[in-house]
Amino acid sequence: MKIEGYWLASGILGVTGSILRRVADSGADAVVTKSIGPEPRKGHSGPILSVSHGGLLNAVGLTNPGIDAFHDEVANLKDVGVPVVLSVFGNTVEEITEVAFKGEKMHPTAIELNLSCPHAEIGQISHDPKLTFEYVKAVKDAVECPVFAKVTPNASDVVSVGAAAERAGADAVVAINTVRGMKIDIFQRRPVLGNRVGGFSGPPIFPIAVRCVYDLYEKLAIPVIGVGGVSTWQDAVEMHLAGASAIQIGTALISGIDVFQRIKEGVQKYLRDEGFTDISEIVGAAGRD
Ligand SMILES: Cc1cc2nc3c(=O)[nH]c(=O)nc-3n(C[C@H](O)[C@H](O)[C@H](O)COP(=O)(O)O)c2cc1C
């Protein structure tokens, strides 16, 4: 698949075929499903969402129907109308490989490996280059379609993790998942989220995402898919300049599903006004001398 355009990020509206189609109809160039695991999973107890400092804290806990039920829901992902990236996770190399292998029968355009949810057990994988290598390599050996590795800003060295994914054969890296965060209710004097710790997303994490994309673009040969806090066309341009070939959008959908169209039109106008003919002319331009 061509790694370009503006995609729905994993976990936001991505769990039924009809919703994926609605997002596609609203202008998304591709959609990523909610992360699907081997078995149905209830997720964490509530509250699972809270707003804080202009962003969103979530500890959904990877709620999902499991790969077999998801297959019953959307047997053929090609029906969605735009490329569909199936996001998968597993607690072990064997589990994630099995989910990816079963998932490929749904004809996704690519498979994205969620190695990095900060409020579930799997969050540890993408802190460790060796584990990341093992997970990516096993899935690459098991499926034919392109495989993307989603990394975390919570790792002390995101570039080593991205490089390990590249060595294992990943076709792109997706940066970033949510940032570990917490909110405390000052009158109850305890954490707001049922899981206490959650993943922070939305505009406040944008500079963190830009830094990760910039560093990864500098060191890797495979494309970087940028995600984290993008809500305007100016953000999208900045993310492209840092090195993102394609951009995923999640939390900004709260303000309306037309966000894809708004961003696309803004970026196109920027390119025209600044004298560029193609987006590829600005991808990574901020890192060039
Ligand atoms: C409610 C919610 C659920 C999410 N679920 C997933 C998920 O299942 N898998 C995953 O890889 N990322 C998940 N994410 C992370 C997003 O895909 C994205 O990486 C992150 O929110 C940063 O982008 P944003 O600021 O545009 O939302 C979730 C984010 C939110 C807000």
Side-chain angles (χ1 to χ4, degrees):
M1 84 181 283
K2 276 207 166 148
I3 307 218
E4 61 185 18
Y6 306 96
W7 308 1
L8 173 71
S10 179
I12 296 99
L13 302 179
V15 93
T16 70
S18 58
I19 293 180
L20 288 171
R21 262 190 300 279
R22 229 185 96 209
V23 178
D25 291 346
S26 76
D29 296 306
V31 292
V32 186
T33 69
K34 172 79 192 162
S35 293
I36 308 292
E39 305 286 342
R41 191 178 148 116
K42 248 176 73 201
H44 296 312
S45 49
I48 55 167
L49 283 178
S50 175
V51 288
S52 181
H53 294 73
L56 188 65
L57 262 175
N58 94 82
V60 172
L62 293 173
T63 307
N64 82 97
I67 190 68
D68 295 327
F70 190 58
H71 189 278
D72 295 343
E73 161 62 34
V74 225
N76 190 346
L77 291 167
K78 286 206 167 104
D79 294 344
V80 171
V82 295
V84 180
V85 179
L86 175 66
S87 173
V88 300
F89 72 92
N91 288 317
T92 60
V93 169
E94 292 71 30
E95 266 184 23
I96 200 168
T97 309
E98 185 199 334
V99 180
F101 183 74
K102 284 184 177 174
E104 200 181 22
K105 298 194 171 51
M106 300 166 70
H107 309 291
T109 315
I111 289 177
E112 183 175 290
L113 307 183
N114 181 359
L115 309 172
S116 49
C117 181
H119 47 87
E121 310 77 358
I122 61 156
Q124 289 311 309
I125 303 165
S126 69
H127 284 257
D128 181 346
K130 195 167 159 285
L131 273 180
T132 301
F133 181 90
E134 284 168 16
Y135 275 69
V136 174
K137 176 86 173 55
V139 174
K140 274 300 284 184
D141 289 346
V143 301
E144 304 275 312
C145 69
V147 174
F148 308 151
K150 187 164 179 182
V151 298
T152 174
N154 306 314
S156 55
D157 182 359
V158 71
V159 174
S160 299
V161 173
E166 180 174 82
R167 276 199 306 283
D171 297 274
V173 288
V174 182
I176 55 175
N177 212 313
T178 50
V179 179
R180 256 169 95 79
M182 183 184 254
K183 182 176 172 71
I184 292 171
D185 183 312
I186 59 166
F187 294 106
Q188 291 197 20
R189 290 178 278 283
R190 48 183 307 196
V192 169
L193 295 174
N195 186 56
R196 298 194 180 92
V197 172
F200 195 42
S201 63
I205 74 165
F206 179 68
I208 301 172
V210 170
R211 181 265 299 173
C212 291
V213 168
Y214 186 93
D215 286 350
L216 287 162
Y217 179 82
E218 216 178 29
K219 289 281 160 8
L220 304 191
I222 54 176
V224 181
I225 301 167
V227 51
V230 174
S231 64
T232 64
W233 67 261
Q234 290 91 337
D235 296 340
V237 168
E238 194 175 331
M239 192 71 109
H240 285 307
L241 290 169
S245 302
I247 292 174
Q248 296 180 0
I249 297 162
T251 304
L253 265 85
I254 290 176
S255 67
I257 202 167
D258 62 337
V259 60
F260 299 100
Q261 208 51 45
R262 274 195 289 114
I263 286 182
K264 264 195 241 185
E265 285 166 11
V267 172
Q268 283 309 321
K269 182 170 182 315
Y270 169 87
L271 291 178
R272 276 196 310 276
D273 291 352
E274 296 295 314
F276 297 108
T277 48
D278 193 79
I279 197 89
S280 60
E281 294 167 58
I282 66 163
V283 171
R288 292 180 205 134
D289 292 329

